[in-house]
Amino acid sequence: MSEPAEPTRLAELTTLGVGGAPERMLVVTDPDELVAQLTELWQHDEPWMVLGGGSNTFATDDDIEGTVVLVRTRGIERIATDAGVVLRVQAGETWDDLVAYAVDNGLAGIEALSGIPGSVGAAPIQNIGAYGQELSSVLLGVELLDYETGERAHVPASALGLGYRTSVLKRHGGSDAERDAVVLSVDLLLTESTDGKGLPIAYEQLARALDVQLGDRVELTRVRDAVIALRRSKGMVLDPADRDTFSAGSFFTNPIVTEQAARTLPPGAPRWPQGENPEAATVIPLDGSSDVVAPPPIKAATQRDVKLSAAWLIEHSSIHRGFHLPGSRAAISSKHTLALTNQGNARSDDIAALARFVQSRVQSEFGITLQPEPVLIDIEL
C-alpha cells in the first residue's frame, strides 16, 4: 500500500541530518504499489526521487522540487537451490536486519557486512563492501523498474557494472546514472553453514579483532559482533549521543589513478596495484591508523590502475581528525578521517564547504581530485 505523508525535511530522514522538505511525499509499503506510484509520476513527468534508509544521501536544505517516495516494502523469501540458499529480499528491508536474519539462520556470505546502515535496495547501487566481503560476491541479480521503458524485469548481477562502490545504477556527483531505474528487490546466493561458521576471514583488521589468522573460519555470530564493534569504534554505528555518527559514512571514495600518477606520491602512501593479480600487491598500511585502509576490490580493475587511500591523502594534506572550518558546525570525524559529520545544527552549506575544502587541499597537495561517495541532491561539489 501507499499513503501520502506530510512532507518531512530530509534532515529528519538521513543520517547526515541535513536536507529540506519536498513538495510531496509518499510512503510505500507494497512492491506492486511502488511500481504503480512511480509509473504514474513518470507519466506526468514530475520530478521524483526514492529514499530508503537515508544513510548515503546528501541533500540541500532548500525546498526540494517534486515527490520523494519513501520505500518501506518488506519481505524476505528463502529459496533452496543446489548451489546454496537464495534470499529474495524486498528493497525496503533494512540491510543490517537482513544480515542479522542470515546469521541467525546459519547463512554465510554477508556476515562481515554487519552494521552497514541503509536499505537493501540501495546495496547494489553502491555495491557495498567491508572487512573483506563485497555484495558483488553474493549478488545474483535484482528486480528493476526501468525509467526509460517502464518495464519491470529481473536483471542479472553481471549486467549491473558492479565495481568499487559503484554500479550502472549509481548517480555520480549529482549526475544521472548510466541506467535510470529503481531497485524493487534483490536476490542473494548465500552458503548454508553446517557448523555455524562463516566464510574464511579475508581482512587483517577483522582477523586481529577476532584473534585468528587470515583464512580462518569463525562462528557467524562472533564475526557479526566483532564487525559491529569495529564499526562502532569508528563512529559508523548511529548513536544519538555521539555527533561523530551523524554522517554519510565514508564521504570520499578511494581514488583509482594510473600507475604513473601513483609514482608521484611519497613512498609511504598506501597503494593497491590493480590488474590480473591484485592479491600479490604489497599494501603499505597507514601508520597507527590501519582502520581506514580499505581492502582491494573483489574484481580486478584496468591493468595499470592503482587504488590509493583517500584517508591517507586527507591526513597528509594537513587535515586532521576533528578538523572544522571556523564557525562551522560540520567537522571531520574525530574517529575516522573519511567521515564528514554534522556536529549539531549544521547546514548543507556547511557540509559542502568542508567537502570542497578537503578536495581543494588534496588537489593542491597531490594533484588528485577526491570524488564524493554519497548521492548528491541539488548539491554541487
Side-chain angles (χ1 to χ4, degrees):
M1 297 180 61
S2 68
E3 57 184 48
E6 185 70 25
T8 301
R9 294 185 66 240
L10 297 193
E12 300 177 36
L13 300 170
T14 62
T15 55
L16 194 51
V18 296
E23 293 177 311
R24 183 169 176 248
M25 183 171 280
L26 289 173
V27 181
V28 185
T29 59
D30 178 78
D32 293 335
E33 187 65 21
L34 177 59
V35 171
Q37 290 291 346
L38 288 172
T39 300
E40 182 178 351
L41 287 173
W42 297 346
Q43 287 174 345
H44 290 86
D45 198 27
E46 296 182 30
W48 62 280
M49 64 170 284
V50 297
L51 186 68
S55 62
N56 197 47
T57 302
F58 176 28
T60 178
D61 281 318
D62 296 335
D63 290 340
I64 297 171
E65 187 179 2
T67 301
V68 169
V69 179
L70 301 182
V71 180
R72 300 295 183 260
T73 53
R74 296 287 189 269
I76 301 175
E77 180 184 1
R78 178 170 174 154
I79 307 168
T81 71
D82 292 339
V85 175
V86 174
L87 294 184
R88 177 161 293 171
V89 190
Q90 295 303 313
E93 286 284 351
T94 300
W95 174 262
D96 192 54
D97 288 348
L98 170 63
V99 179
Y101 172 93
V103 168
D104 290 344
N105 286 273
L107 301 176
I110 56 175
E111 59 275 8
L113 303 181
S114 293
I116 294 178
S119 65
V120 168
I125 297 172
Q126 183 77 353
N127 186 26
I128 59 174
Y131 298 104
Q133 289 183 355
E134 295 256 354
L135 179 71
S136 56
S137 66
V138 297
L139 183 66
L140 281 181
V142 299
E143 185 182 18
L144 294 179
L145 180 65
D146 193 282
Y147 176 77
E148 295 295 332
T149 66
E151 295 180 354
R152 181 176 182 175
H154 287 278
V155 177
S158 59
L160 296 177
L162 299 172
Y164 168 62
R165 302 300 169 266
T166 191
S167 71
V168 297
L169 304 172
K170 183 175 179 180
R171 297 169 60 182
H172 292 272
S175 64
D176 292 335
E178 185 177 335
R179 179 170 185 176
D180 203 353
V182 174
V183 177
L184 303 176
S185 66
V186 172
D187 288 352
L188 306 179
L189 178 62
L190 303 182
T191 302
E192 194 157 19
S193 175
T194 57
D195 58 5
K197 294 183 178 181
L199 300 185
I201 300 300
Y203 195 79
E204 185 177 351
Q205 187 189 14
L206 179 56
R208 289 198 306 268
L210 291 164
D211 195 23
V212 299
Q213 300 297 314
L214 286 173
D216 287 352
R217 295 180 62 243
V218 178
E219 290 78 8
L220 288 163
T221 53
R222 281 189 62 203
V223 175
R224 175 168 167 76
D225 290 345
V227 168
I228 290 176
L230 286 169
R231 292 185 66 86
R232 184 172 286 111
S233 72
K234 302 173 189 179
M236 293 299 178
V237 176
L238 190 62
D239 178 356
D242 184 357
R243 295 305 307 186
D244 268 348
T245 69
F246 285 73
S247 76
S250 295
F251 196 90
F252 298 106
T253 58
N254 289 322
I256 296 177
V257 300
T258 64
E259 191 175 35
Q260 182 178 7
R263 289 198 191 101
T264 67
L265 298 177
R271 64 201 80 197
W272 297 269
Q274 309 293 289
E276 295 180 358
N277 187 23
E279 292 83 2
T282 299
V283 177
I284 306 171
L286 291 174
D287 293 335
S289 54
S290 60
D291 55 320
V292 295
V293 181
I298 200 160
K299 69 177 183 180
T302 306
Q303 175 66 24
R304 287 190 172 275
D305 284 346
V306 176
K307 187 167 75 170
L308 308 175
S309 167
W312 188 94
L313 295 171
I314 294 170
E315 291 177 354
H316 288 76
S317 298
S318 301
I319 298 176
H320 53 80
R321 299 182 187 191
F323 173 88
H324 64 90
L325 295 171
S328 174
R329 297 297 298 168
I332 301 294
S333 168
S334 65
K335 305 177 182 69
H336 191 304
T337 316
L338 284 179
L340 274 59
T341 66
N342 182 342
Q343 292 295 308
N345 299 317
R347 301 279 298 172
S348 58
D349 287 347
D350 294 329
I351 305 288
L354 180 58
R356 294 187 194 106
F357 182 81
V358 171
Q359 287 176 313
S360 67
R361 289 295 306 139
V362 171
Q363 173 67 37
S364 176
E365 191 71 25
F366 299 108
I368 293 170
T369 301
L370 295 181
Q371 297 299 325
E373 189 167 317
V375 175
L376 306 181
I377 308 299
D378 294 339
I379 295 280
E380 292 186 8
L381 295 179

